Amino acid sequence: MHNSRVPFLVLANLGLLPFAACKQEEAPPVVAPTGATPTTTPTSTSTSTPTSTTTSTTTSTTTSTPIATSTSTPTSTPPVPSDGMKTCTVDQDCGQGYLQCVIAPGAADGGKPAGHCQHRQNYHLGRPLVVDGTARMASYARAPVVSSHELEELMRAAREEHASVAAFARTVTELMALGAPLSLLQKTQAALADEIHHTEMTLDLITAATGERPVLGRLPAAVAPLRSGDDAAAELLVDVLRGGVIGETLAAAHAETQQKLATDAALRTFYGKIMEDEARHAALALETAQWLLRESPALTSVLAEETHALASGGSFETRTLVMPLLAVLA
């Protein structure tokens, strides 16, 4: 993945390749951990609990650690000890960003700050539907039993693509609430249509291999309350950066790798299409972030926090892929 062409595809969709060469030189260097072999460990999106009682027969169920999405501003700033990490009692004390409050066993002292704010390394492939800090997906209402790794990968991918439809639908509505231009709404709507197509393509491949077409079940989280109020723009920016710029870039890179590994021509064509579309979605996320930052310059603090979170908490491969893209927003 070191030679991935995904970042260049993303920037080409923005028409920024000459600019990218300059910004890549200016971006903070990405240093591999000492004594470690760089690996990519993005987190797969988590399973939501459908209201339907239908039992799925699929063996593909994935879960993830909940995402900390709180963007509320604490009423007081926790003290910063000499080691440079904020002390805290709850996650909200850590402010915006990929932060969690880590408290050692027995360290609590009458509600006084006893933990330290630390960055999570928890990025998802693609644009997840995140509600209440957790990425949600529908379970299968009906699905074939699969045994090969390739089919298990496709079963998981179909659920993720399906959830992304809801994620983009909610983004369209939230952008409208913030007064986004029609051109941005149109591109976001087109990305939603891409995700429907990706879901259909994935189900087609599974059907061709097993003779049975999977049926995705309910996804109640799709109609969860939307972001609103004073923090709506900040919360949307965080979602766009994590799920769009980072998540879609990781999804494109993953598809690039799968295309190289695939022995079947249909799979190679499928993953090539996914790579191109997800790279375009990552570019759309950058464009959306640019608009949000132009409309609300105060959101530069959110961008700085998310960039720092990636630099300090993301895997080497994730940082290598994404840091040059975030430099476009600087």
Side-chain angles (χ1 to χ4, degrees):
M1 194 172 292
H2 288 295
N3 298 320
S4 174
R5 62 192 184 98
V6 167
F8 297 96
L9 288 175
V10 175
L11 294 170
N13 277 287
L14 288 172
L16 293 177
L17 278 180
F19 174 76
C22 298
K23 297 302 289 186
Q24 196 161 12
E25 294 177 3
E26 298 172 9
V30 179
V31 181
T34 304
T37 302
T39 57
T40 303
T41 55
T43 307
S44 178
T45 51
S46 65
T47 306
S48 64
T49 304
T51 56
S52 172
T53 56
T54 305
T55 302
S56 170
T57 58
T58 178
T59 59
S60 174
T61 55
T62 55
T63 59
S64 70
T65 304
I67 300 174
T69 57
S70 173
T71 56
S72 59
T73 303
T75 54
S76 61
T77 303
V80 180
S82 58
D83 62 7
M85 294 189 297
K86 284 183 179 180
T87 55
C88 57
T89 55
V90 293
D91 288 349
Q92 286 81 355
D93 291 338
C94 299
Q96 296 175 352
Y98 246 83
L99 299 169
Q100 62 180 337
C101 184
V102 178
I103 301 176
D109 182 17
K112 295 180 181 179
H116 291 86
C117 297
Q118 296 181 14
H119 291 292
R120 301 176 187 265
Q121 183 179 332
N122 184 17
Y123 297 110
H124 294 255
L125 289 177
R127 185 71 184 270
L129 170 63
V130 178
V131 176
D132 294 332
T134 303
R136 313 283 183 172
M137 295 191 297
S139 295
Y140 282 107
R142 185 174 69 252
V145 176
V146 298
S147 56
S148 73
H149 173 73
E150 284 186 339
L151 284 173
E152 288 176 353
E153 173 84 8
L154 291 172
M155 292 289 288
R156 175 191 58 78
R159 297 172 65 216
E160 292 176 343
E161 300 287 3
H162 178 257
S164 292
V165 176
F168 276 111
R170 293 166 66 85
T171 300
V172 169
T173 303
E174 291 169 347
L175 284 172
M176 290 189 72
L178 293 170
L182 292 177
S183 59
L184 194 56
L185 298 178
Q186 189 277 330
K187 292 178 182 178
T188 307
Q189 183 72 18
L192 185 159
D194 288 339
E195 301 295 359
I196 293 175
H197 186 214
H198 294 171
T199 307
E200 291 286 357
M201 290 169 59
T202 310
L203 295 177
D204 287 346
L205 286 171
I206 298 169
T207 304
T210 66
E212 181 182 350
R213 190 171 188 82
V215 176
L216 285 153
R218 297 181 179 184
L219 184 53
V223 292
L226 298 171
R227 301 177 184 93
S228 60
D230 295 339
D231 292 333
E235 292 173 0
L236 179 58
L237 178 59
V238 169
D239 186 55
V240 166
L241 292 173
R242 296 177 189 175
V245 179
I246 299 174
E248 296 284 40
T249 299
L250 291 178
H254 179 71
E256 180 183 36
T257 300
Q258 293 300 111
Q259 184 186 39
K260 293 176 181 178
L261 296 175
T263 57
D264 180 81
L267 277 177
R268 288 195 296 272
T269 300
F270 167 76
Y271 282 118
K273 170 66 172 171
I274 297 295
M275 177 182 65
E276 292 176 0
D277 287 353
E278 305 297 28
R280 189 172 64 256
H281 296 173
L284 171 61
L286 285 170
E287 186 178 347
T288 303
Q290 287 174 327
W291 178 79
L292 288 166
L293 290 164
R294 283 197 305 270
E295 291 297 303
S296 303
L299 295 181
T300 53
S301 63
V302 176
L303 172 62
E305 179 63 35
E306 292 296 312
T307 302
H308 177 65
L310 173 63
S312 60
S315 70
F316 175 76
E317 294 288 2
T318 300
R319 287 180 282 132
T320 301
L321 287 166
V322 179
M323 289 300 285
L325 302 179
L326 291 180
V328 171
L329 301 174

